[in-house]
């Protein structure tokens, strides 16, 4: 009698198991593929120049702040350590935001605006004064500057609002509402007496609305209002008026030394000549220039790296503007286009204003050099905004714009 042959049960294949229920490995693989999937040249161009500017900025902050850090904290690396920490946080925020869909980012615009507005209102009542400006919230272990995050919050909300009202842009009321929201945000910052930040916000918000298609009559009205409001804002502060007067009359007596910072900044640039004194060899950073690692870091760049190093920094910001423009040209919806244009205006024009101040083409405004100057709030906010642009370019690459073919043309 033959023994009955019992066939062993077949084990399901790995493909069958993965198709039945996604495993942790498959989910991780999908996430890895999404993060490291090849992107467009425009994505890598913006990412590359951003990473270079941040890395370069950390090195220059170390060089510029080492002496003041040693005097204040008995540690030459204290400011450098903080800047390195915020650089890591900012790059993490940029990477995380770049993975989000634009629809998700747009859905959170209102929440971000309300949160940023509340923080800025809190600054007015419980904020910390630094150099005459109340623009900080001190939480003990760290302090934040809400106005930096208010910029990106207004950009996202106004862009979402204009995209939603795209069929009614002929209505003047739509633009007035956008102006009121932007003006309210700038007004809250102005209550903290930070004119430099307000000027950057004005350039960003008004430029964003102009590029979005604001009617010419409203543009003329805004220009008139700003032409009246700016002198009033300058005259509302004695120290601010003193800085403007000293800048306009550099050879006049300066008993309050309003020109001290800008004069020594020019001496630093002159000492650098063509090739510079060498990295770490600045003499003006030995407590000759106040806030040298912040507003006047470009002076140290010119002194240590010379005219060539200074021109390279300027060229990098021009290259950054070109990267923004190419992405803006590829966007397929109004929201994304407005956001990219606004972020470009914010970062590029702030860099131009900072450099112009160091070159004494503008009075001292207290505006940091984006991605380079010391300052955690500014760095994290800038990198978060660039992360939004990278998210937009991810979608541009995933869903390329297909031009409509003319009728009668062969496919």
């Amino acid at each position: 009698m033959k023994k009955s042959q019992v066939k062993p049960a077949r084990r399901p294949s790995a493909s069958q198991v993965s198709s039945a229920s996604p495993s942790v490995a498959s989910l991780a693989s999908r996430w890895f593929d999404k993060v490291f999937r090849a992107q467009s040249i425009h994505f890598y161009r913006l990412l590359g120049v951003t990473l270079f500017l941040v890395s370069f900025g950390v090195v220059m902050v170390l060089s510029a702040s080492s002496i003041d850090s040693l005097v204040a904290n008995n540690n030459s690396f204290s400011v450098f350590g903080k800047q390195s920490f915020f650089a890591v946080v900012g790059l993490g925020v940029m990477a995380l935001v770049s993975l989000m869909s634009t629809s998700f980012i747009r859905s959170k615009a209102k929440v971000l605006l309300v949160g940023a507005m509340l923080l800025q209102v809190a600054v007015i009542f419980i904020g910390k004064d630094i150099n005459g400006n109340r623009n900080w919230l001190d939480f003990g272990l760290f302090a934040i500057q809400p106005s930096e995050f208010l910029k990106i919050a207004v950009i996202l909300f106004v862009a979402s609002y204009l995209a939603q009202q795209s069929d009614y842009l002929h209505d003047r009321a739509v633009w007035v509402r956008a102006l009121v929201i932007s003006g309210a945000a700038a007004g809250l910052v102005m209550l903290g007496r930070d004119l430099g930040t307000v000027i950057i916000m004005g350039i960003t918000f008004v430029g964003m609305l102009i590029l979005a298609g604001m009617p010419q009559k409203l543009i003329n009205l805004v220009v008139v209002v700003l032409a009246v409001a700016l002198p009033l804002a300058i005259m509302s502060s004695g120290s601010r008026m003193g800085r403007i007067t000293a800048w306009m009359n550099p050879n006049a007596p300066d008993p309050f030394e309003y020109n001290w910072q800008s004069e020594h900044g020019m001496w630093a640039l002159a000492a650098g000549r063509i090739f510079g004194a060498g990295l770490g060899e600045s003499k003006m950073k030995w407590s000759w220039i106040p806030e040298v690692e912040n507003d006047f870091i470009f002076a140290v760049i010119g002194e240590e790296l010379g005219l060539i190093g200074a021109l390279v920094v300027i060229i990098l910001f021009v290259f950054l503007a070109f990267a923004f423009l190419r992405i803006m040209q590829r966007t397929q919806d109004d929201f994304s286009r407005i956001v990219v244009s606004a972020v470009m205006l914010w970062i590029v024009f702030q860099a131009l204003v900072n450099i112009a101040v160091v070159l004494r083409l503008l009075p001292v405004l207290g505006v940091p050099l984006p991605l380079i100057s010391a300052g955690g709030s500014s760095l994290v906010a800038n990198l978060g905004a660039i992360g939004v642009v990278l998210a937009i370019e991810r979608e541009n690459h995933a869903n390329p714009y297909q031009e409509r073919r003319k009728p009668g043309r062969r496919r």
Side-chain angles (χ1 to χ4, degrees), residues 204-364:
T204 302
F205 300 157
V206 175
M208 170 179 65
L209 295 175
I210 291 174
L211 292 178
M214 187 166 66
Q216 186 63 45
K217 290 183 178 180
L218 269 180
I219 295 174
N220 296 337
L221 179 61
V222 170
V223 170
V224 172
V225 171
L226 293 178
V228 174
L230 185 59
L232 293 176
I234 292 172
M235 291 185 290
S236 65
S237 170
S239 62
R240 192 181 299 136
M241 190 67 187
R243 290 199 305 270
I244 302 296
T245 304
W247 169 71
M248 296 177 66
N249 302 280
N251 297 322
D254 188 16
F256 296 100
E257 296 183 339
Y258 287 120
N259 280 328
W260 174 278
Q261 196 176 24
S262 56
E263 281 181 356
H264 285 76
M266 287 297 292
W267 293 353
L269 292 174
R273 299 188 179 183
I274 303 296
F275 300 103
L279 188 63
E281 299 298 323
S282 169
K283 294 181 176 62
M284 288 297 150
K285 70 184 181 183
W286 286 71
S287 302
W288 286 104
I289 305 178
E291 304 295 331
V292 67
E293 71 274 11
N294 296 321
D295 308 340
F296 271 72
I297 197 169
F298 187 75
V300 176
I301 293 172
E303 184 180 5
E304 295 188 348
L305 304 180
L307 177 64
I308 293 177
L311 287 177
V312 167
V313 172
I314 294 173
I315 291 171
L316 284 171
F317 279 106
V318 173
F319 194 72
L320 189 71
F322 175 74
F324 282 126
L325 282 172
R326 292 296 295 138
I327 292 175
M328 186 173 65
Q329 292 173 347
R330 287 164 48 83
T331 54
Q332 305 177 29
D333 62 281
D334 295 333
F335 170 76
S336 300
R337 192 176 299 109
I338 294 170
V339 169
V340 176
S341 66
V343 174
M344 176 186 68
L345 290 171
W346 168 17
I347 295 178
V348 175
F349 271 91
Q350 182 169 323
L352 292 178
V353 168
N354 176 274
I355 294 171
V357 167
V358 177
L359 297 176
R360 299 192 74 175
L361 299 175
L362 289 174
V364 177

Side-chain angles (χ1 to χ4, degrees), residues 65 69 118 123 172 182 185 210 213 248 273 278 337 406:
S65 67
S69 295
L118 290 176
V123 168
R172 186 172 178 173
S182 304
I210 291 174
M248 296 177 66
R273 299 188 179 183
R337 192 176 299 109
K406 295 182 179 179

Side-chain angles (χ1 to χ4, degrees), residues 166-208:
S166 59
D167 294 333
Y168 306 97
L169 294 183
H170 59 278
D171 188 353
R172 186 172 178 173
V174 172
W175 299 101
V176 171
R177 293 189 193 102
L179 284 169
V180 168
I181 294 168
S182 304
L188 288 176
V189 177
M190 192 60 205
L191 290 176
R193 303 184 297 277
D194 191 353
L195 181 60
T197 299
V198 171
I199 289 175
I200 299 301
M201 294 175 80
I203 293 172
T204 302
F205 300 157
V206 175
M208 170 179 65

Side-chain angles (χ1 to χ4, degrees), residues 62-72 75-76 282 285-287:
L62 171 60
S63 177
S65 67
S66 57
I67 305 303
D68 289 341
S69 295
L70 182 63
V71 173
N75 181 2
S76 298
S282 169
K285 70 184 181 183
W286 286 71
S287 302

